[in-house]
Amino acid sequence: DQQVKQNSPSLSVQEGRISILNCDYTNSMFDYFLWYKKYPAEGPTFLISISSIKDKNEDGRFTVFLNKSAKHLSLHIVPSQPGDSAVYFCAACYNQGGKLIFGQGTELSVKP
Amino acid sequence: EAGVAQSPRYKIIEKRQSVAFWCNPISGHATLYWYQQILGQGPKLLIQFQNNGVVDDSQLPKDRFSAERLKGVDSTLKIQPAKLEDSAVYLCASSFRTSGGISTDTQYFGPGTRLTVL
């Protein structure tokens, strides 16, 4: 069963515009959510996280929004830069540091 | 600070052969994870160690996969015998987790080992 889903395999955005990556989950027990970024031939790199007690967390150009009633989270990148081109994975866990359940990933392409 | 080291980076083997992967976590990180990432999918946890003890190995195919973390530092993951469906990237990650404590605990990933089984 796919407890964490990223339904868009790819997304293309113009440089300077907003990128919005979406993620849905099915397990209401998840209480911590993370976004990882992955470049080819490298391991995933932690980007930003959010606890279920919050609905928004911001770090520079990156903002994660959590809608618990809809079991949906999104990552906003503003403004998008060509260096943001990578595969983005959302992940969820039951407690911070516990087993991560990953989505399938969304490949973001930011065009100059 | 040195990151998570993995070797080899690439490995090609025939089915039914055996293979081993090595991981050296970030210094001081008590928790070590092995993930399998099949092409087009997200990483899937195979096994989690806390120091040299296994915390979760519920998704490790124990008939062919084994892992150990002697002395609570380096770890090896072995597949014997390999099947075609084992072709994937094997990622090692580590995090700093005190016993019973919940800190920032971000998982830091190594570059992975890409395994191709022919």
Side-chain angles (χ1 to χ4, degrees):
Chain A
D1 67 5
Q2 191 72 34
Q3 297 187 70
V4 178
K5 295 182 183 180
Q6 294 175 256
N7 292 316
S8 298
S10 63
L11 175 68
S12 183
V13 171
Q14 206 67 31
E15 180 180 6
R17 298 290 188 100
I18 184 171
S19 295
I20 300 176
L21 295 96
N22 294 303
C23 179
D24 297 296
Y25 61 97
T26 57
N27 193 332
S28 57
M29 295 295 290
F30 289 142
D31 59 6
Y32 196 69
F33 304 88
L34 308 91
W35 284 93
Y36 278 81
K37 174 180 178 180
K38 186 181 183 305
Y39 292 118
E42 295 183 13
T45 303
F46 170 73
L47 191 57
I48 192 169
S49 63
I50 187 166
S51 165
S52 60
I53 62 174
K54 295 185 175 182
D55 55 18
K56 176 183 174 181
N57 188 27
E58 209 170 337
D59 184 2
R61 296 185 298 113
F62 303 91
T63 303
V64 57
F65 295 92
L66 175 62
N67 182 333
K68 282 182 291 184
S69 60
K71 294 191 179 68
H72 177 84
L73 65 155
S74 61
L75 174 68
H76 293 210
I77 307 174
V78 184
S80 301
Q81 299 173 355
D84 297 329
S85 297
V87 177
Y88 289 78
F89 291 99
C90 70
C93 61
Y94 298 108
N95 57 70
Q96 195 171 343
K99 172 180 173 178
L100 290 180
I101 310 296
F102 282 86
Q104 311 95 307
T106 296
E107 183 171 10
L108 174 66
S109 176
V110 180
K111 302 194 180 302
Chain B
E1 179 185 77
V4 176
Q6 290 188 249
S7 68
R9 292 296 311 274
Y10 304 91
K11 190 74 177 178
I12 301 174
I13 61 172
E14 301 276 336
K15 61 183 179 184
R16 292 187 288 273
Q17 286 187 321
S18 62
V19 64
F21 312 126
W22 174 83
C23 173
N24 182 243
I26 293 172
S27 177
H29 280 194
T31 308
L32 185 146
Y33 313 79
W34 282 102
Y35 287 86
Q36 179 193 59
Q37 185 182 7
I38 293 172
L39 187 65
Q41 299 180 19
K44 181 185 82 171
L45 180 70
L46 292 175
I47 189 168
Q48 176 182 346
F49 292 95
Q50 176 78 6
N51 295 308
N52 59 355
V54 175
V55 174
D56 184 345
D57 64 356
S58 57
Q59 296 195 89
L60 186 74
K62 297 181 186 66
D63 58 334
R64 298 183 301 106
F65 285 65
S66 64
E68 60 181 11
R69 191 181 184 199
L70 300 176
K71 301 180 182 178
V73 182
D74 293 7
S75 177
T76 55
L77 176 69
K78 297 179 182 177
I79 308 175
Q80 182 179 8
K83 292 185 175 181
L84 296 177
E85 59 260 37
D86 298 331
S87 294
V89 175
Y90 290 84
L91 295 161
C92 179
S94 71
S95 66
F96 178 72
R97 182 171 191 167
T98 57
S99 175
I102 299 188
S103 60
T104 54
D105 224 2
T106 299
Q107 292 186 29
Y108 296 88
F109 284 81
T113 296
R114 179 176 295 278
L115 174 67
T116 302
V117 183
L118 303 176

